Amino acid sequence: MNRLFAHLFGYLVLGLALGASMHATAQPARGLIVKLKDAGSTAALPMREQAQQLRERVSAVAHDAGMPLRSQALLGRGHHLMRFAQPMQGQALDDAVRRLRLHPDVAWVEPDVLMKPAQALLPPNDTAYLAGLQDHLKEPASHAAGVNMPPAWARTTGGAVVVAVLDTGVRFDHPDLAGRLLPGYDFASEVEYANDDDGRDADASDPGDWVSALDRSSKPALFGACPVQGSSWHGTFIAGQISAATNNAMGVAGINWGNQVLPLRVSGKCGAFLSDILDAMRWAAGLSVEGVPANPNPARVINISFGGDVACTPSYQDVINEVTAAGALVVVAAGNNGGTPRRPADCANVLAVGAAQANGQKASYSNAGPTVAVIAPGGTGAAGDPTNIYSTVNLGTTSTLANDYGYKRGTSFSAPLAAGVASLMLSLNPALPPTQLIARIRASARAHVAVGGSPACGPGTLSVVCNCTADTCGGGLLDAANATLVALNPVALIAGVGAPGPGATIALDGRASSAVAGSSVVSWQWTQVSGPALTVPNAASALTGVVLPAAAGTFQFRLVVTDSAGRAGDEFLTVTTTAPASGGGGGSFGWLWGTGLWLLAGLAFRLSRANGHTGAR
């Protein structure tokens, strides 16, 4: 019985793995490069006979896979080019790759696509960039804390990834933002603070957020606790950092040259109400908000450059979890109190960004702590200092005047740098979920800078310039070149398993894993990382399963997927069992029930193949 089940289980896993998601190849291929498994019996033959046998095996494999060949050619040792009768791409190419990969004689398959030469990329010709006013975007050789954009731009200048900016709104008439802004929405609900004579509406323009001495004296109940200040044009500045029109011979360079910003106005005089921020976050991610029309342009990245004075609250965390599940990465500023982060920077599932000064050390004002993922340039000096961040502004101190450019500093302007880099990563690999964006940005950061004579950041030193550690400033300095490189790695995705009880049979399902265009996932490997040891059968399949022990426990599994270019990506699944198994749900009966489900699924898959379907993608 055990031997029979093992054969059936292996067959079913193989059948279901056929439906594993593969990223449709955008480029046409003239053929497939195939490596056959070692035959093990030709080593003693002359080279000519070995080559002839290899050609015959290749022809047999092509025939078995139903793939007519125009020709074949030997590539090095054991690699063969199988030329199609006509170029192939998209679904047809993916189907051909799948059929060959499943042949028992095939080790791996890779499309033979046209590789374009790398084009030399000149620096963007924006005047501020060329004049050295945006050195924080350049390589570390020019700016120790530089985001290292030039090598990243050589890989990609971006694409249509929507980035939402929850802020003061934006000046739609700024010439360097022309064509770079979506309509957005105004979520500032309190008329007295909104400063635009109405509440929520479809106009996300920024009328100014100044607070005057007259405001304070005439309406102390509203503005008495607010500092007197001029209009900040905060949202306009951040929109320019992310998406200013670039290579247009004027103004500043944005990080993503091809995307658009979704401006969501949440803040007016004195700041933003929490309820407005929460509604705007949900709407930005494409979730419904009562009384507001549906968002036609859901964002993949949401930038929030607002801090708080309390720890993460349930309402904030719940909404962050919602938008994360909807596929939107929340990027937040660490805060400017020279202490530990507060909401939202201490919430889970966010990319919290601290500020580095020009030499790479933590800026004195930047918050730091275990929830900070990376640090990025935030400015060093006083107002107007050229080591600060330079972007799009308006010259009005209250209401609007001329549009222009200017300097600011703070973690508010470190976060958009990371949001822009995340959008570049998504332009290369749209399948990246928020959790993997955070992990890859953190893992790809450059090492922290240590300056002799400065203290290490920690308790008692957070309010001064200090040398970052992994515990205080995360993975290191944001590095766009490294981040866009790791974005190309395949995405390992594991289906959830709910809340199984002890003794349950669970599926380890990595069929949704994918690779970037031009490559495909060619291998899956499951391992158990922690918990009482279990047997993982068919660990090299996209879909397998394990039987949990009758005792409660916590188990962690890892899936590593490899693509046809040899790149790898991984993901982890943690399973905790606490409740006793319900009657009949565990033990051998539960095991047989799970087996029965897999049998039915395998039969359904085979029937779908017989009826001309190609399986889940």
Side-chain angles (χ1 to χ4, degrees):
M1 177 66 184
N2 288 342
R3 180 176 298 175
L4 174 62
F5 171 75
H7 285 298
L8 285 172
F9 183 82
Y11 177 77
L12 288 167
V13 167
L14 177 62
L16 288 169
L18 293 176
S21 174
M22 295 177 61
H23 195 106
T25 303
Q27 280 188 278
R30 66 170 183 168
L32 299 174
I33 299 172
V34 179
K35 180 174 176 60
L36 300 183
K37 294 179 180 176
D38 186 3
S41 60
T42 63
L45 296 176
M47 290 299 295
R48 181 177 299 176
E49 293 184 28
Q50 289 186 44
Q52 179 60 32
Q53 288 199 12
L54 182 57
R55 284 191 292 270
E56 291 173 357
R57 288 182 66 201
V58 170
S59 296
V61 167
H63 180 270
D64 292 345
M67 193 177 76
L69 297 184
R70 174 182 170 185
S71 63
Q72 59 166 292
L74 182 65
L75 301 176
R77 291 180 58 85
H79 306 112
H80 245 75
L81 171 62
M82 304 170 72
R83 285 286 296 269
F84 298 139
Q86 294 181 342
M88 195 180 296
Q89 69 184 109
Q91 182 72 49
L93 178 58
D94 279 354
D95 290 345
V97 170
R98 182 186 293 111
R99 291 195 303 270
L100 279 171
R101 194 180 72 238
L102 292 172
H103 195 286
D105 282 349
V106 174
W108 54 258
V109 185
E110 180 177 356
D112 184 27
V113 295
L114 186 65
M115 303 294 291
K116 297 180 180 180
Q119 300 295 318
L121 182 71
L122 297 175
N125 62 12
D126 305 80
T127 53
Y129 185 90
L130 295 178
L133 304 181
Q134 290 186 282
D135 282 353
H136 63 279
L137 296 181
K138 297 178 182 177
E139 300 95 331
S142 301
H143 188 290
V147 181
N148 205 15
M149 290 307 310
W153 285 329
R155 189 167 292 121
T156 177
T157 53
V161 178
V162 176
V163 179
V165 173
L166 277 64
D167 218 280
T168 61
V170 70
R171 292 310 308 167
F172 284 92
D173 56 353
H174 199 294
D176 224 0
L177 296 177
R180 309 312 309 278
L181 300 171
L182 294 165
Y185 205 83
D186 179 5
F187 280 89
S189 58
E190 296 293 328
V191 175
E192 295 85 356
Y193 293 103
N195 202 31
D196 60 356
D197 298 324
D198 57 26
R200 292 186 174 180
D201 58 34
D203 182 7
S205 60
D206 185 354
D209 58 352
W210 76 92
V211 177
S212 67
L214 179 61
D215 288 330
R216 286 170 52 96
S217 62
S218 63
K219 298 179 180 179
L222 290 174
F223 306 116
C226 306
V228 173
Q229 61 180 31
S231 291
S232 66
W233 315 112
H234 202 265
T236 299
F237 193 95
I238 288 172
Q241 287 185 270
I242 298 169
S243 299
T246 304
N247 218 29
N248 62 345
M250 74 172 197
V252 295
I255 288 178
N256 192 320
W257 301 14
N259 78 326
Q260 290 180 300
V261 162
L262 180 70
L264 301 183
R265 186 168 184 255
V266 297
S267 178
K269 290 175 178 282
C270 302
F273 282 97
L274 175 60
S275 56
D276 293 341
I277 293 175
L278 299 182
D279 274 353
M281 287 174 63
R282 298 187 78 258
W283 194 82
L287 303 175
S288 62
V289 175
E290 185 176 0
V292 180
N295 176 10
N297 301 294
R300 293 296 308 276
V301 182
I302 300 173
N303 187 90
I304 304 176
S305 289
F306 284 86
D309 56 359
V310 298
C312 188
T313 53
S315 61
Y316 226 137
Q317 188 63 68
D318 285 349
V319 173
I320 288 170
N321 293 344
E322 279 190 274
V323 301
T324 299
L329 169 67
V330 181
V331 182
V332 301
N336 301 329
N337 306 114
T340 55
R342 298 293 188 224
R343 69 177 181 187
D346 65 337
C347 296
N349 296 325
V350 301
L351 179 70
V353 186
Q357 61 179 25
N359 69 351
Q361 292 181 285
K362 186 193 81 70
S364 61
Y365 56 81
S366 177
N367 289 348
T371 61
V372 173
V374 289
I375 58 172
T380 302
D385 190 300
T387 61
N388 292 342
I389 309 301
Y390 195 74
S391 188
T392 45
V393 297
N394 188 276
L395 295 180
T397 56
T398 54
S399 57
T400 59
L401 291 174
N403 292 302
D404 205 338
Y405 305 88
Y407 291 103
K408 293 184 184 294
R409 70 167 184 158
T411 60
S412 284
F413 315 113
S414 305
L417 300 176
V421 169
S423 74
L424 290 184
M425 296 171 71
L426 286 168
S427 72
L428 291 168
N429 194 345
L432 284 167
T435 52
Q436 293 200 23
L437 282 168
I438 294 172
R440 295 186 191 205
I441 288 174
R442 183 168 187 147
S444 63
R446 294 197 311 279
H448 288 300
V449 172
V451 175
S454 295
C457 299
T461 61
L462 294 184
S463 62
V464 299
V465 174
C466 55
N467 293 330
C468 280
T469 66
D471 291 334
T472 52
C473 307
L477 290 156
L478 176 69
D479 191 292
N482 292 341
T484 52
L485 180 61
V486 301
L488 296 172
N489 293 343
V491 177
L493 291 178
I494 306 174
V497 298
T505 300
I506 63 168
L508 299 180
D509 186 351
R511 291 176 296 167
S513 303
S514 64
V516 297
S519 61
S520 58
V521 175
V522 297
S523 72
W524 296 259
Q525 185 64 52
W526 295 93
T527 55
Q528 183 182 356
V529 178
S530 63
L534 301 174
T535 298
V536 181
N538 297 284
S541 298
L543 174 65
T544 183
V546 295
V547 180
L548 300 175
T554 297
F555 309 84
Q556 188 176 57
F557 303 93
R558 181 189 184 209
L559 170 63
V560 177
V561 297
T562 304
D563 68 11
S564 52
R567 298 173 297 230
D570 66 354
E571 182 67 298
F572 294 84
L573 172 70
T574 300
V575 180
T576 300
T577 60
T578 54
S582 58
S588 61
F589 184 78
W591 178 76
L592 289 172
W593 174 247
T595 303
L597 290 177
W598 279 320
L599 286 167
L600 290 173
L603 178 60
F605 179 81
R606 293 181 65 202
L607 289 173
S608 73
R609 293 282 290 182
N611 284 285
H613 298 292
T614 57
R617 294 186 55 77

